[in-house]
Amino acid sequence: MAALLAASGKAFGDVIRGTQPFSPFDYAPPETLPGGRWYFFTPDEARTVEAMVERLIPADDLSMSGKDAGCAEFIDRQLAGSYGSYERLYMQGPFQKGTPEQGDQSEFVPRDRYRRGLAALDAWCHASHSKAFAELPGETRDEILAGIEAGKIELPGFDGKLLFEIVLGNTMEGFFADPIYGGNKDMVSWKMLGFPGARYDYRDYVERHNEKLDLPPLSIAGRPEWKTKG
């Protein structure tokens, strides 16, 4: 193998000048859906998820909340796509509890976890507080989420920690993902971090260490000011 690598010499890349010889998204385009509606969640489920992501990422001096950043919309669109059914994962039994090193061994795909988990959460809230989760004050929602995460609150008929873990993970994904998927509205998290986004070419910057570049973030779909009417 070493002799083969030595004989292969250096690798060279072509420099593209003029118009690129390809079109964006001409192969394996990202799964995206237009905004303005819910694709998987019912209205009640959507309110519950928005109430959860609002507390998981609360608004502060650095950014808007997870709700305002569109994390619930991101989750809804992901559940409506291949992620929601674990289309690309092996999901045949038997299902047995594994070690932490083995990762997730649940029989429930994400759609099941949300549908069953959100129903169980609201059932517990109605029984304990006579209100749905989304109707409770923010401090009470914080206490419930903390109790579920710690295993101190058991939801009826569903593993609460399984719900908490997937909502927390998906919320973080939606907050930091490219806005083309529905979250990270106005690239709020990228602006907060100073992340320049999905730029095509970083060659002018790779050797510039420990500098603040102040590059405006760029989505896969460009920037809003690039879009013209007509």
Side-chain angles (χ1 to χ4, degrees), residues 11-82:
F12 295 93
D14 291 332
V15 176
I16 299 172
R17 293 183 174 86
T19 304
Q20 66 268 24
F22 57 86
S23 298
F25 308 140
D26 59 355
Y27 178 74
E31 286 186 342
T32 60
L33 293 169
R37 54 161 292 190
W38 298 107
Y39 290 90
F40 173 77
F41 291 138
T42 66
D44 287 340
E45 290 171 341
R47 281 190 290 271
T48 302
V49 174
E50 286 186 323
M52 295 177 78
V53 302
E54 184 178 44
R55 304 312 298 177
L56 291 173
I57 302 180
D60 57 21
D61 294 338
L62 298 176
S63 79
M64 63 182 74
S65 70
K67 175 184 176 181
D68 292 335
C71 291
E73 289 93 327
F74 168 86
I75 296 171
D76 177 70
R77 297 184 202 182
Q78 293 300 307
L79 293 175
S82 60

Side-chain angles (χ1 to χ4, degrees), residues 41 49 52-53 55-57 66 70-72 74-76 78-79 83 86 104 110 113-114 145 149 160-177 183-184:
F41 291 138
V49 174
M52 295 177 78
V53 302
R55 304 312 298 177
L56 291 173
I57 302 180
C71 291
F74 168 86
I75 296 171
D76 177 70
Q78 293 300 307
L79 293 175
Y83 168 76
Y86 273 169
D104 188 354
R113 301 179 195 209
Y114 274 91
L145 291 174
E149 180 185 18
K161 295 186 74 172
L162 196 63
L163 173 67
F164 180 86
E165 288 170 1
I166 194 171
V167 175
L168 176 61
N170 292 159
T171 300
M172 291 189 292
E173 290 166 353
F175 191 67
F176 293 107
N184 193 10

Side-chain angles (χ1 to χ4, degrees), residues 1-222:
M1 178 61 72
L4 177 61
L5 292 174
S8 64
K10 296 182 178 179
F12 295 93
D14 291 332
V15 176
I16 299 172
R17 293 183 174 86
T19 304
Q20 66 268 24
F22 57 86
S23 298
F25 308 140
D26 59 355
Y27 178 74
E31 286 186 342
T32 60
L33 293 169
R37 54 161 292 190
W38 298 107
Y39 290 90
F40 173 77
F41 291 138
T42 66
D44 287 340
E45 290 171 341
R47 281 190 290 271
T48 302
V49 174
E50 286 186 323
M52 295 177 78
V53 302
E54 184 178 44
R55 304 312 298 177
L56 291 173
I57 302 180
D60 57 21
D61 294 338
L62 298 176
S63 79
M64 63 182 74
S65 70
K67 175 184 176 181
D68 292 335
C71 291
E73 289 93 327
F74 168 86
I75 296 171
D76 177 70
R77 297 184 202 182
Q78 293 300 307
L79 293 175
S82 60
Y83 168 76
S85 62
Y86 273 169
E87 179 182 306
R88 300 170 186 173
L89 296 184
Y90 181 82
M91 289 297 295
Q92 300 300 316
F95 296 97
Q96 300 176 355
K97 184 175 179 60
T99 66
E101 293 78 13
Q102 291 175 313
D104 188 354
Q105 300 293 314
S106 172
E107 63 186 293
F108 297 114
V109 300
R111 291 174 187 168
D112 296 330
R113 301 179 195 209
Y114 274 91
R115 188 125 288 162
R116 293 168 180 249
L118 294 176
L121 173 60
D122 265 344
W124 186 91
C125 290
H126 277 293
S128 302
H129 298 276
S130 301
K131 290 183 179 181
F133 180 81
E135 298 171 337
L136 297 171
E139 295 77 9
T140 305
R141 282 183 271 154
D142 289 344
E143 294 173 2
I144 293 172
L145 291 174
I148 293 173
E149 180 185 18
K152 297 179 180 179
I153 293 177
E154 295 185 4
L155 301 184
F158 196 80
D159 184 349
K161 295 186 74 172
L162 196 63
L163 173 67
F164 180 86
E165 288 170 1
I166 194 171
V167 175
L168 176 61
N170 292 159
T171 300
M172 291 189 292
E173 290 166 353
F175 191 67
F176 293 107
D178 193 288
I180 197 172
Y181 299 106
N184 193 10
K185 293 284 179 66
D186 194 31
M187 294 179 270
V188 58
S189 67
W190 292 0
K191 292 176 181 177
M192 177 181 67
L193 296 174
F195 177 60
R199 291 176 173 271
Y200 178 75
D201 190 350
Y202 282 99
R203 286 177 295 179
D204 293 338
Y205 305 99
V206 293
E207 299 296 334
R208 296 170 59 179
H209 305 298
N210 302 315
E211 289 186 45
K212 186 178 180 181
L213 300 178
D214 288 323
L215 294 172
L218 180 64
S219 165
I220 294 173

